Amino acid sequence: MQEFDLFVIGAGSGGVRCARIAAQNGARVGIAERRHWGGTCVHLGCVPKKLMVYAAETGRLIEDAPAFGWDVKRPSTFNWAEFIAGKDREIDRLNGIYISMLQKAGIDLFTGDARLIDANTIEISPSPLAPDEPVQRVRAKKIVLATGSTPVRLGIPGAELAITSDELFHLPTQPKKVAVIGSGYIGVEFAGILAGMGSQVDLFYRQPLPLRGFDEEVRTHVQELIDLYGITQHPGTSPARLEALGEGGGVRLVLEDGATYDVDAVIMATGRRAAVDSLGLDAAGVKLENGHVAAGVDAKTNVPSIYAIGDIRDQYNLTPTAIAEGHLLAERLFAPQGRSWSFETLPKAVFFSSPVGTVGLSEEEAIRKHNVTIYTSRFTPMRQALPKRAGKILMKLVVDRDSDVVLGAHMVGPDAPEIIQMLAIAVTAGLTKKQLDQTVALHPSSAEEFVTMRMPTRSVDKQP
Ligand code: NDP
């Protein structure tokens, strides 16, 4: 039986980073993956999603092109199959890069379904990706669970008729009429993508505003942009059941109030759950908490030899945080270096069109602990002037009135994720509003507005 210092189950963003850093620091490392080398982000998440966002935005640029003097064929059409094939070629390329990166690091790769036999033994059995591989057992001093998460469907009758983001990436044809259920990251992003590709989209959610958890002003602004983008919103609604529409295909969505919508596809974007099935957690005695592996900030589970990183432990559920967790764990185990990341100032983005970028506290979070001054700005980006495209940018700063420290920065508008990533450095560094004011503007840009907001919009007292 092969023996390892560290064995990682799951070659997604977190697992791969953990394995590589451990190997770089002299550990003997093995890693098992059953489906996708590179995991959800590369195959069923961030990367293909962003390529789809680009495809949708390209349609918009074509629409605007005549206003800038370009003679383009109209109406232009979108070829879903061609796009999906191109996207798959890119994903295959990245898949290969992940495999060679792990091999070059001297890590032993196992393709198959890995499960715990006990606290130090793993069995790897054939999976659809490698049906002919033999069953193997390996032993490891330390084991890292990094199998990520998987979409959940609502427990309503006919839920199996819906698809999730997993299936959407591989549909053979574009659904022309779509109902999206859920207005978190995935619901809002896919509503935008499909509408941008020309589908008719209805977005159903149970809150009054989309994107629960984000700053309220941001949420209101996004709701307005969703309308402008031609998506029909149904706030305050809950689905009751789905019914098949007979031989022509299609699905009927029935809401709790009895209203019905007949569509080509219903997409459930209703959250994700930890991918713990068939991991053998019971055999090793690993405890779960609300369906996720219970692990502390140091990634330790209740079993001393077993650790958990990324979505499987339900903390931040984002790629960069899984990477950071994997990196920190590998260093802690094999070469402590005192490195840290500031998870409190974690930047986040929602890739709608226009996208949202946010870092630090929302106004609602901030006023629980601070007296705050709020600066906001709304303006039409220059790019939209000639095509007369509607839709304003929103920029917002949440500043501690007493210390002048910038507690949060929020933006909805073109390039918001790029701009907020840079501003996140400043917020992480504890920047004050005065320092923002001291920064000379870069003109003409949208980002310059963050250093030119002189007049407060309002001042709000602490409301603990
Ligand atoms: P979210 O948790 O973001 O959103 C889930 C949505 O489903 C919410 O609108 C929620 O409503 C709704 N919902 C949940 N249960 C029910 C129910 N029983 N009935 C009706 N509606 C329901 O999950 P997503 O699936 O959008 O994304 C999963 C995770 O993936 C995100 O949390 C994020 O961590 C990650 N992700 C990050 C991205 C990025 O960084 N850009 C992109 C995509 C995913 P309510 O608000 O009322 O609970």
Side-chain angles (χ1 to χ4, degrees), residues 26 30 77 102 118 152 157 206 209 337 340 370 379 435 446 451:
T77 50
L102 288 162
D118 59 40
V152 284
R206 58 186 178 180
L209 292 169
Q337 308 200 342
S340 66
H370 309 267
F379 58 98
Q435 288 168 312
S446 298
V451 296

Side-chain angles (χ1 to χ4, degrees), residues 49 149 154 181-189 204-207 211-212 219 237-239 268-272 311 316-318 348-351:
K49 180 272 305 288
S149 63
L154 299 180
I181 301 173
S183 64
Y185 287 83
I186 296 181
V188 170
E189 288 181 348
F204 298 84
Y205 49 95
R206 58 186 178 180
Q207 307 292 334
L211 293 178
R212 186 164 61 87
R219 295 175 70 192
T237 56
S238 285
M268 279 198 190
T270 44
R272 299 177 66 89
D311 284 14
Y316 304 106
N317 299 340
L318 297 168
K348 295 178 189 159
V350 182
F351 292 92

Side-chain angles (χ1 to χ4, degrees), residues 245-303:
L245 278 178
E247 288 194 358
V251 185
R252 170 165 297 163
L253 164 63
V254 185
L255 299 183
E256 275 183 355
D257 65 7
T260 61
Y261 298 85
D262 293 353
V263 292
D264 299 326
V266 173
I267 300 170
M268 279 198 190
T270 44
R272 299 177 66 89
R273 66 176 177 83
V276 291
D277 300 346
S278 69
L279 251 186
L281 297 181
D282 284 348
V286 177
K287 280 200 190 127
L288 290 177
E289 217 173 67
N290 300 325
H292 291 84
V293 172
V297 270
D298 51 7
K300 282 183 183 161
T301 70
N302 61 305
V303 179

Side-chain angles (χ1 to χ4, degrees), residues 312 342 347 382 388 415 420 452:
I312 193 173
S342 168
M382 195 195 278
K388 300 193 169 35
D415 302 320
I420 290 292
T452 56

